[in-house]
Amino acid sequence: MAETNKRKSLIVIVGPTAVGKTSVAIELAKQFNTEIVSADSRQFYKEISIGTAKPSDEELLEVKHHFINSHSIQEVYSAGAFERDALSVLEEIFSRKDKAIAIGGSGLFIKALTEGLDILPTPEAGVREKWNNKLEECGISHLQEALQKIDPAYYKEVDKNNPQRLVRALEVYETTGVPFSEFRINKKNKRPFQIIPIALNMDRALLYERINSRVDLMMQEGLLKEVESVHLYKDIPALKTVGYQEIFEYLEGQIDLATAVDKIKQNTRRYAKRQITWFKKMDGVEFFHPENMQEILKHIKG
């Protein structure tokens, strides 16, 4: 990896859902006359826009964004693939600009971009399918119990409500006989640019109010119709996410629509709490209120 170029800086905007990352990132991109790399693991997908809170068409016209509507939900797009592609995009941006902006609420994809990921073994054929079938037949609690037995260290830190993470850990163990936690060496790959991480947050009651309001707005904008349009693909990884899973339950007659909306709000609030916990552990991160742009700029300029 090339030596760090002190003149080139990646400003990384992170924080919980609904905190206001998009508007801050756009304002910073305008201030520094640069472009935005989205590291949001759901905004890549062109078929889902309302439930992923993508920037509006107007916002996308204001500043050039990368990795918005770049893939189909029928494609598997991993954090490792994103790391490779995003670094290539950043190399091109830095050939013209001294600063670039990255934005995202997905801790794994931000980590891939800023530090790189551990190299994990490829699962044996059929192992992933087996655990996905277990998930369908027995529920997520079965996967949680299995992981707790074989890898208590990873069980303590994993998002226990994320079936993809649980299946990944279980398939690695079944393939290798080695706990997933032992592959996580957390070796950071040095990037050839400076990283300035900025986390946004606000009073929790206000954040939760914004989340609830955003969900109501999504419903008004047609979230139900959007979820209906992708119901056929409900089992693919891109759609195993808050806002889609709950409405799938409604569409399949398991709950009524009002309950589904309440569950989206509750699960989004829980997700926001986990995001804040993740980003507090980020190296060198500074927290700001999203409206405190002067302090944010002061911090970036040093």
Side-chain angles (χ1 to χ4, degrees), residues 114-130:
T114 58
E115 301 176 8
L117 299 171
D118 302 320
I119 298 173
L120 298 170
T122 301
E124 290 178 354
V127 173
R128 180 172 298 172
E129 184 179 15
K130 168 193 160 181

Side-chain angles (χ1 to χ4, degrees), residues 54-92:
K54 281 177 188 165
S56 66
D57 290 342
E58 293 76 18
E59 288 170 328
L60 292 173
L61 285 172
E62 285 185 78
V63 172
K64 184 171 182 179
H65 286 67
H66 300 268
F67 301 100
I68 299 282
N69 298 324
S70 54
H71 291 73
S72 168
I73 56 172
Q74 297 179 63
E75 300 174 62
V76 175
Y77 194 54
S78 67
F82 170 72
E83 176 188 0
R84 178 198 65 226
D85 296 344
L87 288 175
S88 177
V89 167
L90 283 173
E91 184 177 10
E92 195 280 324

Side-chain angles (χ1 to χ4, degrees), residues 3-11 90-100 191-196:
E3 186 178 342
T4 300
N5 185 333
K6 300 296 185 185
R7 290 179 55 245
K8 306 295 182 181
S9 300
L10 178 65
I11 303 162
L90 283 173
E91 184 177 10
E92 195 280 324
I93 293 173
F94 284 136
S95 72
R96 299 178 282 107
K97 312 282 186 182
D98 284 339
K99 288 183 170 59
R191 301 305 192 201
F193 46 80
Q194 294 187 85
I195 295 169
I196 306 173

Side-chain angles (χ1 to χ4, degrees), residues 191-297:
R191 301 305 192 201
F193 46 80
Q194 294 187 85
I195 295 169
I196 306 173
I198 290 168
L200 305 179
N201 203 4
M202 59 177 59
D203 174 76
R204 182 168 292 184
L206 179 57
L207 178 64
Y208 285 0
E209 187 179 308
R210 286 170 64 104
I211 287 170
N212 293 341
S213 296
R214 174 185 273 188
V215 174
D216 288 335
L217 182 60
M218 286 176 173
M219 292 303 296
Q220 292 170 25
E221 291 178 341
L223 179 60
L224 175 57
K225 188 174 181 180
E226 178 173 279
V227 179
E228 286 176 332
S229 73
V230 294
H231 192 194
L232 183 65
Y233 306 105
K234 68 171 189 148
D235 292 324
I236 67 174
L239 294 175
K240 290 186 180 295
T241 189
V242 178
Y244 294 85
Q245 290 293 296
E246 297 85 355
I247 293 184
F248 289 148
E249 290 180 27
Y250 160 70
L251 293 174
E252 292 163 11
Q254 299 173 38
I255 55 177
D256 61 34
L257 186 57
T259 301
V261 172
D262 284 342
K263 284 185 73 172
I264 294 172
K265 292 176 180 177
Q266 182 183 55
N267 291 336
T268 305
R269 294 193 299 266
R270 288 174 176 166
Y271 177 55
K273 189 175 178 182
R274 294 196 298 272
Q275 287 175 300
I276 293 167
T277 300
W278 178 295
F279 292 126
K280 280 181 177 176
K281 298 175 184 176
M282 195 171 177
D283 280 353
V285 71
E286 293 284 340
F287 275 79
F288 297 90
H289 191 284
E291 293 176 4
N292 202 348
M293 185 59 69
Q294 291 307 312
E295 287 299 313
I296 293 172
L297 284 169

